[in-house]
Amino acid sequence: MIWRPLLWPTQVALIALAICGFLLAGQFAPAQAQQPVCAVDLDGNGDAGDPGEVVSCSAMADDAWLCPTQQTMCVADAQGAYSCPLGSQHQCLTPVGGGTPMCSPNACTGSDGTGIEDDPVVDDPGAPADGAVDAEGHCLGNIEIFAGRATRCRPAGLRTTFSNCCKDRGKIVKDGMGGSISSIGTKIAVAKGVFTGMKAAYGAFKAGATAGQAATSGANAIIAGIDPTSIAISLAINFMMDFLLSGCDQQDMEVGMLRGSGMCHEVGTYCSSRILGICVQKSKGHCCFNTKLGRIIQEQGRPQLKSFNRVGWGTPKNPYCRGFTPEEFQALDFSKMDLSEYYSEIEARAQADIQIDMKDKIDAYMQVIGQ
């Protein structure tokens, strides 16, 4: 079924605001010259990802740079030669305007960005929904049941402008119930659709469209082709607007939507950005699944299978998210699984569906009698 794009006035206003937020966030601003920075773990928690722990270096004479954190004055000897009281390995540098030389125990990055290292974003497409089949329709590849996708989101740190991109923001993506065995790509497509809508709105705005026209472009791009039973569209737009005012990227957004909807298993935390070897940004590795049921069965089924004993969930940086083979799935003992989390959601949804159905019938009856 093809869903016709719809547009609600409240969504138009929200997307228009999102465009403003996007411009304020400077996501499309041209790159500027890199000023040297330095990173120091001031609170001793193992990283320099807190505010004030990464600072710009000060320009010194002879095109040199000095880290202002923990800097101190150099000391002159009887001959007038200066040395750093912190140790001879630290160079004394003269301020641009002259004066007593200074030194610091902390190093600066290069003006060309050398010394800053970012890990590439996890790029796992997940298991394909439909592989090759023979003439009789039998699968020629490996069958994976409840397959997931390796992803990451980033808690507050330097690269996220100290915004928590892993924060749960409610159940935006709705559980597919019966579609549990289908590819994770379907739910990821829903999350990507929100980001696509935002880019469409910005593109229209940049091309000279009015805020209202740009909002319409964004709303149409978000809603077109997305089954409204699979996503709470108004929540998704609010979610998008919130993300645009932060340093979160597209995968942060995707994981945030799926994680908040109960479809992700967190594997652990690792360092994803460093300045001269000092961690300034951490990431949380996840396995995200197409439904909450898929995540629950994976969490409770893997410990039953020897094939997962050695690798488990992989590492935070490289999550191991493959699905069960048919043989593994048949070997699972569902009597040992606690599915109460899933059952409670079904019951809650059933009650909500009953109430909606009753309201629709009452409204229809009132229209018939002219009330």
Side-chain angles (χ1 to χ4, degrees), residues 77-121:
D77 59 18
Q79 288 75 37
Y82 286 95
S83 62
C84 181
L86 302 175
S88 59
Q89 70 272 28
H90 303 301
Q91 184 180 5
C92 289
L93 301 173
T94 303
V96 173
T100 303
M102 308 288 291
C103 63
S104 174
N106 307 301
C108 294
T109 61
S111 57
D112 59 353
T114 54
I116 301 176
E117 180 185 355
D118 292 307
D119 288 345
V121 178

Side-chain angles (χ1 to χ4, degrees), residues 57-180:
C57 291
S58 303
M60 306 297 281
D62 300 322
D63 295 326
W65 295 89
L66 180 73
C67 178
T69 305
Q70 299 172 331
Q71 70 178 13
T72 187
M73 290 184 177
C74 291
V75 179
D77 59 18
Q79 288 75 37
Y82 286 95
S83 62
C84 181
L86 302 175
S88 59
Q89 70 272 28
H90 303 301
Q91 184 180 5
C92 289
L93 301 173
T94 303
V96 173
T100 303
M102 308 288 291
C103 63
S104 174
N106 307 301
C108 294
T109 61
S111 57
D112 59 353
T114 54
I116 301 176
E117 180 185 355
D118 292 307
D119 288 345
V121 178
V122 176
D123 185 19
D124 176 19
D130 297 296
V133 296
D134 61 20
E136 298 178 354
H138 299 137
C139 180
L140 295 176
N142 296 322
I143 298 175
E144 292 191 21
I145 303 172
F146 293 118
R149 176 175 179 252
T151 56
R152 70 95 174 96
C153 66
R154 295 171 295 172
L158 181 69
R159 289 305 195 191
T160 66
T161 61
F162 303 104
S163 297
N164 182 6
C165 297
C166 293
K167 181 180 178 181
D168 292 347
R169 289 168 171 81
K171 297 180 180 179
I172 298 172
V173 181
K174 301 176 183 178
D175 202 332
M177 293 296 185
S180 302

